[in-house]
Amino acid sequence: MWTDHHPGAALPELFATGGDTVSFAGGLPDLEALPLRTLSSQVSRLMGLGGRLTLQYTTTRVAPSLVPAIRDLMGREGASATSEQLVPTTGSQMGLLAVALGVGAPGDPVLLPTPAYPGAAAAFRTAGMEPRALPEDADGPDPAALYETVRTLRADGRNPRLLYCNPTFRNPTGATIPTPRRRELLAAAADLELLVVEDNPYGLLAFDGSTTPALHALDPERVIYLGTFSKVFAPGLRCGWIAAPEHLAPALRRTAEVMTLSPSALSQATIAAFHTRHGWDDLLDGYRTAYRERCALMADALDAELGPDGPWRFDRPDGGFYLWLRHRDGQDTERLTGPAAAIGVSFVPGSHFGVGREHAGALRLAFSNAPRRRIAEGVCRLAAALAATPAPPARGGDR
Ligand code: PMP
């Protein structure tokens, strides 16, 4: 069977939470900030006034009432899109597969700076594409390496046409590509005639509320932007969008139609109604505050438990959901999951975020949904698991 050779994107066994386990594995949002009472009365009004419409099939266009909500979010990072450029999705995971199927071609290499969100490589592989890791330096994907990689592939008769990027508060590292590097990358992509897939679930979750211009804002004709309400509203509504260069939107709309027939009118109407009445500011502030607090609790506990002279290193993120812990000598973190689970803590080993095993010497911690009062305890357990297990070398190391 096809699935025998293609692992899925999710990691359900790592995301399982036992009774006493402190889970740092799943990148789940903290939905405490959602005003559930308000939402429930809005959904009930939607049912009363237009239930037969919101529960009906709909078109493969983003609902006109939702367009202002999307434009408001994208505008905060300097980007914009017309209704013609927008394609509705059930979230960025579907967006990734729609792009891979609708714009990519089976057998094409696709370039990914790694470590990368595993769902991206899984979507590209599902469409028959071949993910290739792209080298990076301290500022992110390295334009010189991009030239080199693409030229080598083309000299070999291969034709990479897509470059995948999660440029702001990246899953799993929390890193953001600075604006000058964004411009350099886009210039290289233009030179090399690559389309850039910008996967941006976390861009508005800077702890201090600051933003970085989206790649789409800097070159709207070259960038296919994947937006989602999963991290700024709620993932359970399964609602997102693609903002594509206009000439690609029809192909993506057709692909999306094959995948889902039509998006959920109810989800779109719920989000649109919320935005019309409340806007995004308060909700975004609530999320940012929650993640800033949790990240500080986790980073302070890691500093205290792992110490400055130990073998583990991390950079304090400025936003998003994740913290990336690297072992100086490349300890294979997959072997640590068992001992960690035995003392009640979970994380995702770095190997999940590579194209091969190039990041096996790291691990991802999600602070986004860990209960505040249990973060220090979870880190204490993690430190015990890391210290108690011998360190067989892994390829990768401190990168
Ligand atoms: N891209 C990235 C970088 C992610 O972290 C995630 C989810 N964690 C997704 C895409 C998919 O999210 P969704 O389908 O809920 O929008």
Side-chain angles (χ1 to χ4, degrees):
M1 266 198 306
W2 182 90
T3 42
D4 294 341
H5 310 288
H6 295 80
L11 308 156
E13 69 284 9
L14 284 167
F15 291 179
T17 46
D20 179 52
T21 294
V22 183
S23 174
F24 297 141
L28 278 61
D30 162 27
L31 299 183
E32 261 173 43
L34 264 190
L36 289 185
R37 269 217 204 104
T38 310
L39 269 177
S40 128
S41 64
Q42 275 169 4
V43 172
S44 132
R45 266 168 55 87
L46 280 173
M47 287 292 154
L49 292 174
R52 292 209 172 79
L53 275 180
T54 50
L55 295 174
Q56 190 52 277
Y57 285 117
T58 179
T59 70
T60 52
R61 307 251 157 190
V62 168
S65 62
L66 188 64
V67 173
I70 290 176
R71 289 174 56 83
D72 181 346
L73 289 176
M74 290 184 71
R76 290 162 192 252
E77 291 170 285
S80 72
T82 63
S83 300
E84 283 308 306
Q85 292 175 291
L86 294 176
V87 180
T89 64
T90 59
S92 293
Q93 187 59 42
M94 173 185 161
L96 284 162
L97 189 55
V99 169
L101 291 167
V103 180
D108 273 5
V110 48
L111 304 163
L112 273 87
T114 67
Y117 168 57
F124 293 125
R125 287 195 176 108
T126 297
M129 302 180 81
E130 202 186 289
R132 292 288 180 118
L134 187 67
E136 298 199 283
D137 61 19
D139 281 343
D142 177 4
L146 179 62
Y147 278 107
E148 174 72 26
T149 309
V150 171
R151 286 184 180 144
T152 309
L153 282 165
R154 287 187 179 153
D156 220 23
R158 312 296 308 281
N159 186 26
R161 290 188 308 130
L162 294 180
L163 163 64
Y164 168 83
C165 249
N166 170 202
T168 310
F169 307 126
R170 188 203 301 195
N171 180 0
T173 59
T176 294
I177 304 175
T179 307
R181 175 55 61 87
R182 291 179 187 229
R183 292 189 193 283
E184 288 165 18
L185 269 176
L186 287 166
D191 239 15
L192 294 163
E193 297 183 8
L194 298 173
L195 286 167
V196 179
V197 182
E198 178 175 29
D199 186 9
N200 189 31
Y202 308 102
L204 296 177
L205 297 178
F207 301 148
D208 66 0
S210 62
T211 53
T212 310
L215 296 173
H216 188 271
L218 301 175
D219 192 348
E221 281 309 302
R222 186 151 306 281
V223 177
I224 305 174
Y225 179 96
L226 304 182
T228 178
F229 291 103
S230 290
K231 309 295 172 12
V232 293
F233 197 81
L237 289 173
R238 305 311 295 136
C239 193
W241 70 96
I242 303 172
E246 209 164 310
H247 69 284
L248 294 174
L252 289 167
R253 199 165 281 126
R254 274 204 307 279
T255 313
E257 186 177 13
V258 173
M259 295 170 81
T260 61
L261 270 193
S262 74
S264 160
L266 178 60
S267 293
Q268 295 197 61
T270 303
I271 296 169
F274 179 85
H275 175 255
T276 306
R277 296 195 97 186
H278 306 282
W280 291 125
D281 288 347
D282 290 350
L283 188 56
L284 286 173
D285 277 352
Y287 279 133
R288 287 187 193 117
T289 305
Y291 301 136
R292 182 175 59 236
E293 283 172 15
R294 282 173 164 77
C295 181
L297 287 170
M298 180 178 274
D300 289 349
L302 284 168
D303 276 343
E305 292 292 336
L306 301 177
D309 304 322
W312 295 94
R313 301 272 179 276
F314 68 95
D315 298 319
R316 278 187 184 240
D318 298 319
F321 280 20
Y322 309 107
L323 197 150
W324 184 241
L325 205 57
R326 291 130 25 215
H327 191 270
R328 194 181 45 205
D329 311 316
Q331 159 137 226
D332 183 350
T333 57
E334 223 160 80
R335 303 172 59 150
L336 301 172
T337 53
I343 54 172
V345 64
S346 63
F347 58 83
V348 183
S351 53
H352 289 265
F353 303 93
V355 167
R357 294 197 49 82
E358 72 270 25
H359 296 291
L363 60 91
R364 188 192 78 179
L365 301 172
F367 48 79
S368 52
N369 190 44
R372 288 175 188 77
R373 59 188 169 74
R374 301 206 67 205
I375 289 178
E377 182 189 352
V379 168
C380 186
R381 292 179 186 181
L382 178 73
L386 300 184
T389 315
R395 274 181 42 218
D398 186 1
R399 54 177 80 215

